[in-house]
Amino acid sequence: MTMKKFFITLVAMVATSLAGFAQITLEDAYGYLSNLPGISKHQVGEVTLAPGVKITGLTSVSGSMARYQDNFINAYESLPIDNMLIGVNNRQEMACSFSEPSDNGVYNVFFIVGEKGGKIMAAYGQTTAEGLEAIANCDVTLDGKDLEMAVAPQVDVIEIIDIEYAQR
């Protein structure tokens, strides 16, 4: 009996260790999605979250939920949950964002936004710690076909990151 418990414990430890290797970086997730055949690519550039707070180097990809759903789910499930800033889902729409440190106070950010029966989009860029704070504290609205992630800083400026904006 003791040997059986030892063997089960050993198998559990190996499985847990190997699960950690399945996690990928945000850049890898975006690269995987951006290289799918037929996916639409967009250069957004930068989005201002608040005065002096931006997401830079922002690029996005989009496609049909019906065609790419499994690919996006695969990318999402491969990301470390500890890196998630926000995640919302109302069974019609979903949005999530992840971050990871890069270099010199810069953080990589990755978004997945999708609409049931519509489009799914992923965006990747860089921001600062202030940008992460703004994203983590944004107001998310899931209403019908409209999904908005609004950042409302101390001043009367509200910038919106939504599916239409990222696809301009």
Side-chain angles (χ1 to χ4, degrees):
M1 196 71 128
T2 307
M3 188 60 139
K4 185 177 180 181
K5 286 182 183 178
F6 173 75
F7 181 71
I8 291 172
T9 302
L10 183 63
V11 168
M13 288 173 43
V14 169
T16 303
S17 297
L18 292 176
F21 290 118
Q23 296 178 346
I24 59 176
T25 68
L26 304 182
E27 185 176 13
D28 291 340
Y30 182 77
Y32 163 70
L33 295 172
S34 67
N35 288 315
L36 293 172
I39 198 102
S40 298
K41 298 178 186 177
H42 314 278
Q43 281 296 124
V44 180
E46 68 181 38
V47 172
T48 301
L49 301 174
V53 180
K54 299 177 181 193
I55 299 174
T56 60
L58 192 63
T59 59
S60 70
V61 294
S62 64
S64 161
M65 177 72 84
R67 181 172 179 188
Y68 297 107
Q69 176 177 326
D70 291 342
N71 302 105
F72 276 77
I73 289 171
N74 183 39
Y76 170 81
E77 289 179 345
S78 298
L79 294 170
I81 195 74
D82 291 347
N83 292 2
M84 184 181 278
L85 293 172
I86 60 168
V88 295
N89 180 342
N90 69 358
R91 295 186 180 210
Q92 295 298 313
E93 299 169 315
M94 61 87 62
C96 60
S97 67
F98 292 84
S99 71
E100 65 187 8
S102 184
D103 294 324
N104 302 323
V106 174
Y107 294 85
N108 296 324
V109 289
F110 180 69
F111 300 88
I112 296 178
V113 179
E115 177 186 347
K116 186 176 184 178
K119 287 191 174 189
I120 192 158
M121 182 268 298
Y124 175 79
Q126 289 73 40
T127 193
T128 60
E130 293 83 8
L132 295 183
E133 187 72 22
I135 294 166
N137 293 314
C138 73
D139 292 326
V140 178
T141 304
L142 295 168
D143 182 24
K145 290 188 175 183
D146 296 324
L147 176 126
E148 295 180 346
M149 295 166 45
V151 179
Q154 323 280 341
V155 295
D156 289 338
V157 176
I158 297 177
E159 290 290 330
I160 295 174
I161 304 169
D162 68 16
I163 234 173
E164 289 79 21
Y165 186 88
Q167 292 180 359
R168 277 197 248 173

